[in-house]
Amino acid sequence: MKKISGTPLLKVRNLFASVEGKEVLKGISLDVEAGAVHVIMGPNGSGKSTLAYALMGHPHYEVKSHLSKVKSSIEIGNTDVLNLPTEERARAGLYLAIQSPIAIPGVSVMQLLRTAYQLLHIEQSQKINETPNIQNPVLVRRWQANGMGLTEFVRRVKQFAGQLRLDESFLSRSVHDGFSGGEKKKVEMLQALVLAPKIAIFDEIDTGLDVDALRVVGKGIDVLRRQKTGVIIITHYNRILRYVTPDVVHVLVGGKIVDTGAAALAGKIEKEGYAKYL
Amino acid sequence: MQNTYKYGFHKPENYVYKSKKGLDRGVVEYISKRKNEPLWMQQFRIRALGQFYHKPLPLWGGDLGGINFDNIFYYISPTDKIVSRWEDLPEDIRDTYDRIGIPEAEKKFLSGVSAQYDSEVVYKSIKSMLSKKGVVFLDMDSGLREFPEIVKQYFGTVIPSGDNKFAALNSSVWSGGSFVYVPKGVRVDLPLQAYFRINAANMGQFERTLIIAEEGSFVSYVEGCTAPIYTTDSLHSAVVEIIVKKGARVRYTTIQNWSTNVYNLVTKRARVEEEGVMEWVDGNIGSRLSMKYPSVYLVGRKARGEMLSIAYAGAGQHQDVGAKAVHLAPETTSQIISKSISRGGGRTSYRGLVQIMMGATKSKSKVVCDALILDEASRSDTYPTMDIDEQDVSIEHEATVSKIGDEQLFYLLSRGIGKAQAESMIVNGFIEPIVKELPLEYAVELNRLIQLQMEGSVG
């Protein structure tokens, strides 16, 4: 197993999660370091997506342990976000690329990126002493975040879009409104690149993608890795692993991580399946 | 939920004349005499008064039980003369306008301002461009004085005084409003804008607008208003009549943001002749109850009518709004797009009529109404009526009701956007197809209003 140095950006301890009273995650612990790519594999119903949503704080998932003595935590940097609402987790540096994202008519991709970026990089934005929630087309000209004006920001967004081979026209379209499966995945990836989170989780990023799109998404993950973002890829098919070499592979079965290893573990599972863990 | 009205300040009342409360023939005659009106107008008013007494309150729509017709001033005149320069306005009136930012708006966009302060227009400036082209843009009282023949020819022809109880009321006590006349073939490129504001307790606003677009002409008229809060109910009952001649096009845009004690009962109708186009863009954000159904009567072949409307109802509000399209000639088309948002126990109703008369062959109509409900306490209803007397026509009707989806909200939250802002983004996105039809400053203001409503009412 390849050794990764540095203190983990994400530290999960004893995470439990229930959906409608049914316990799906049964004590997950996980460390993800800056620039590391972790893959979480597992059969259907093993709790992979639940892990993604529980980390992001989706209200449908109750993260209380049935064993009261166990203390759970989700630390990002030095903040325990376990009891924080979703938006606070995002502001702490967590990003989730959603598997089948829903459309938001009338809200353009650029507007979403602009609004989110400013909120996520609020310390650097504060010097302009302006409320960050600007939707006013006139005031938008004064948009500034992280020492960047809007023109510079737009230029960066377009550059990332180009790398993902996403036509610039998508930036002015409503978020995921009428997008194909591949376009949705690219727009989720684009947000990860632009928003530069500490930890990015990709839930089934490889389903429904053709080879070209898989390659593009793989390139996106490489960029994130270089940006020192810690990456978690959740996958059922592991097709993405032909384009990304992970640092760590975890096997999730029955709500528990039952095996952890280097990239080779993924290949082994592809050949042998999950039988030995069941 | 505390719903504080942003523009809820009001200035000390300073009026030259205030009629007594209540309505009788004496009040109507006084109004007419004071305005030095021709006899026909006085007779029109008196006949309308009889119709007002005679007509029952509508039994459908919203709850009108809170209106006490005896407790309303029917005429107020803030200043004796109409001024045309900003500096000549009384200071407290200028101050009021400053607070709603009118001078800045004027500098940028206005081609002419006719601002109504209570019942009479006190401030107007008309750029020379308009008069050079022969375009008339006056307050209705001046219009009647300066162009009595034109007014007499069209006044009350699109909306007869006996059309409904509130049209009759307006016809008997109307004051102010705009008179617009666009000569044949003239295009007015900048929108004509009128701002007005109620500032007298218990005062009714009964402005009357008449727009005549001659053959092949074009004009866009924009009105928007804000009003201060009062402890007693206030009545706003306007009448807007528009005549669109052959091949002409008129766009009429309203953003209504009355304070939430105002009854806003407005009759708006356009008669559209051959190949003419009428567009109503209607935003209803304020008022306690609005009942407003902008209408088109398509009387000439290939006439077209479009109605876009947005309604927002918060706590204690009922927006009963919609549109009417009456097809009286062949190959006429109408399109009605309505979007409504209700939250905090607010209620929106879409009420619409599409009527295709015998002989209006090959006519087309499309109605789309979408409602967004933000919480369990709120309500939305749809009352569409189709009355089709012709076979060879095309009618489409789509209606959707949606709630802000948990998944949409979660998506935006997961991007670091707070709940209130996320909701306002979703709502602003929902109304975006209509907002983009508005002049820029109105679009900005509407987005801001929605945002304030969202953020002011969370928690």
Side-chain angles (χ1 to χ4, degrees), chain A residues 53 56 58 86-87 90-91 95-96 98 101 103-107 112 115-116 119 133 135-137 176 188 191, chain B residues 406-408 410-419 421 424-426 428-430 432 440 444 448 451 455:
Chain A
Y53 282 93
M56 201 70 236
H58 194 289
T86 300
E87 66 271 28
R91 290 173 197 174
Y95 176 84
L96 171 62
I98 290 172
I104 307 179
V107 176
L112 173 64
T115 309
L119 288 163
N133 54 351
Q135 293 184 13
N136 179 323
H176 297 312
E188 292 295 281
Q191 291 176 65
Chain B
D406 289 345
E407 294 313 313
Q408 278 183 333
F410 175 74
Y411 188 85
L412 294 178
L413 295 176
S414 77
R415 292 339 183 213
I417 297 164
K419 188 171 184 253
Q421 197 184 349
S424 87
M425 280 175 86
I426 294 168
N428 277 323
F430 172 75
E432 192 264 351
L440 178 64
V444 169
R448 285 287 303 153
Q451 204 173 334
E455 288 170 7

Side-chain angles (χ1 to χ4, degrees), chain A residues 51-66:
Chain A
L51 176 60
Y53 282 93
L55 288 174
M56 201 70 236
H58 194 289
H60 288 180
Y61 301 90
E62 203 196 349
V63 291
K64 234 188 244 157
S65 164
H66 287 186

Side-chain angles (χ1 to χ4, degrees), chain B residues 51-215:
Chain B
Q51 288 163 327
F52 168 69
Y53 286 143
H54 186 69
K55 289 258 172 193
L57 281 170
L59 295 171
W60 44 271
D63 179 8
L64 297 167
I67 302 175
N68 180 355
F69 290 104
D70 296 330
N71 197 29
I72 291 171
F73 291 107
Y74 287 89
Y75 179 65
I76 296 177
S77 159
T79 55
D80 265 337
K81 60 183 173 57
I82 290 173
V83 295
S84 59
R85 287 196 314 156
W86 177 249
E87 295 74 31
D88 296 339
L89 284 170
E91 197 179 343
D92 65 323
I93 296 180
R94 265 190 299 175
D95 188 33
T96 300
Y97 282 118
D98 271 338
R99 293 200 212 181
I100 46 176
I102 285 176
E104 291 93 306
E106 190 202 349
K107 278 172 211 150
K108 280 181 286 179
F109 290 106
L110 303 191
S111 57
V113 166
S114 167
Q116 181 168 346
Y117 190 83
D118 290 336
S119 303
E120 260 184 59
V121 172
V122 291
Y123 170 61
K124 69 178 167 63
S125 65
I126 297 167
K127 295 260 163 76
S128 56
M129 176 203 81
L130 288 182
S131 31
K132 262 186 231 156
K133 287 183 164 181
V135 176
V136 178
F137 179 32
L138 292 171
D139 65 279
M140 194 64 229
D141 297 288
S142 303
L144 176 60
R145 265 195 309 276
E146 294 177 30
F147 300 91
E149 286 77 27
I150 301 179
V151 173
K152 192 178 179 183
Q153 188 185 345
Y154 294 104
F155 197 94
T157 58
V158 184
I159 302 171
S161 58
D163 188 78
N164 65 73
K165 190 173 183 76
F166 293 97
L169 177 62
N170 175 284
S171 297
S172 67
V173 298
W174 71 266
S175 207
S178 295
F179 173 68
V180 177
Y181 179 83
V182 187
K184 188 172 172 176
V186 170
R187 284 185 60 87
V188 183
D189 293 320
L190 291 169
L192 304 178
Q193 308 207 11
Y195 293 82
F196 56 92
R197 187 174 173 80
I198 295 183
N199 199 12
N202 290 319
M203 217 214 78
Q205 287 259 315
F206 305 101
E207 82 274 8
R208 181 98 190 184
T209 290
L210 176 62
I211 298 176
I212 299 141
E214 292 286 1
E215 272 187 37

